Structures are given as structure tokens and as C-alpha cells.
Amino acid sequence: MTEVSAELLDRALVEESAKKSGLVWVSAGAGGDRAVWHVWHEGAVVVVGEGAEQPLHGWAQGDTVTVTVRSKDTWGRLLAWPARVEELSPGGEAWTAAVVELKAKRLNSPDFETVTDRWARESRVLRFVPTGGSSQRPGALPAESGAAAPVPTPATTRQPIPAALPRLLFGRGRKRRRP
């Protein structure tokens, strides 16, 4: 396979995986991965946040982040790629086009008719534009899971159930008297 066709295939994989997933993880260094809902619009992952929407964790214009997409079938990591953050200005042509797509995908919005006005006042719309090929993809995934370790706790659910519980729940062991 030529380098150009491999690059086109990789770009297509990035686009298709982002279109099919309603949730991506965005990582910017030591802050860890953050899950955000998004839409794929005009070659980038687009998110809306702050105000009454999801937190955007301080991502700003020009930042470099890593976007990770999960598989819709297995929910495991499928693909990761580097991206540049672009902030869209409220009211601009690009902002308006992106917000139309976001509004269509926004579930359970309490103010569906006026949500775009609210977003213009109190939220930010960011684009995560792919800047290179995928760093992780099928056949080239890291060995570690990436999952956070559970917090140590003395709580447990691995103790035997009380001996009387089945009798209490299912009435076993009781003899019924006939009238």
C-alpha cells in the first residue's frame, strides 16, 4: 500500500469512528482523559461546553490534545489521534454551522428552542481538528488498558449472605397449616 493511500485510509478511519461514536475521550497531558459528547462536523470533532453544558477542562485555542474513540461494538479503545484545539466565535459562520449540528444531537435539552442563544451567551464551542495520523489503531494498540485503578476501600461485597435470607425472601422452610 502506498503512503498516500495509507494516509487516506487512516483519515477515513478517523472520520468514520468519530461519526459513529457519540462520546470521545480527550486528553491534554497530566489532566487525564475526559469524556465528552460531540458531533463530527466538517473534518473535526466539535463539542459544546461550559455554562450549563459539559465541562471543557481548560482546553483553549491552539492546545494540542489526543482524541480517543471507542468501538461501538466492544466499547474498548479503537483509535486515538492528535488534534489541535480551535475555539469558534459565537455568531460566526463556522460557529452557526457547528451549533446546528450540535443542537440536533443534544439529548434532553431543557430549552431546545433557545439553546443556541444560551450557548452563545454562556458556553464555548471547540473543534478538535486531526493534525496527523492515528497513534493508536487496530493492530497497534498499547498493551496497558488505560483504565484508572479502583480507589482502595475497606468496603466489600464478597461476604456470604446471611443463612436466614433465603427463608425470608422465598418463604422456604415454613410449613403451611391447612385450615
Side-chain angles (χ1 to χ4, degrees):
M1 187 180 315
T2 67
E3 188 174 320
V4 173
S5 63
E7 183 179 320
L8 290 174
L9 183 62
D10 193 54
R11 191 178 316 158
L13 185 59
V14 166
E15 183 173 343
E16 278 304 306
S17 65
K19 281 182 179 179
K20 292 185 183 223
S21 178
L23 184 73
V24 295
W25 283 265
V26 180
S27 174
D33 293 351
R34 305 295 183 179
V36 292
W37 71 271
H38 74 285
V39 296
W40 179 266
H41 179 67
E42 295 183 359
V45 166
V46 181
V47 299
V48 61
E50 306 302 342
E53 299 296 331
Q54 62 192 342
L56 294 180
H57 308 285
W59 299 316
Q61 176 78 24
D63 285 352
T64 300
V65 297
T66 300
V67 178
T68 304
V69 181
R70 69 179 182 176
S71 165
K72 201 162 186 163
D73 297 333
T74 65
W75 289 19
R77 178 179 26 203
L78 176 66
L79 197 65
W81 70 87
R84 181 185 69 254
V85 178
E86 293 179 357
E87 186 164 352
L88 302 178
S89 299
E93 190 175 316
W95 184 89
T96 303
V99 164
V100 167
E101 294 294 320
L102 287 163
K103 181 180 177 183
K105 297 292 183 183
R106 175 65 166 94
L107 302 177
N108 303 324
S109 177
D111 56 347
F112 183 76
E113 295 301 321
T114 60
V115 72
T116 56
D117 297 331
R118 179 171 54 85
W119 287 346
R121 280 190 320 271
E122 63 186 44
S123 298
R124 297 186 313 145
V125 176
L126 301 179
R127 296 180 76 228
F128 299 117
V129 182
T131 57
S134 57
S135 58
Q136 298 174 17
R137 62 188 162 285
L141 293 173
E144 74 276 356
S145 75
V151 177
T153 176
T156 181
T157 57
R158 292 288 186 193
Q159 294 180 357
I161 62 172
L165 189 60
R167 286 193 304 268
L168 292 172
L169 294 176
F170 304 113
R172 294 182 184 154
R174 283 191 228 157
K175 294 187 178 183
R176 295 186 183 192
R177 295 184 186 184
R178 295 186 184 200

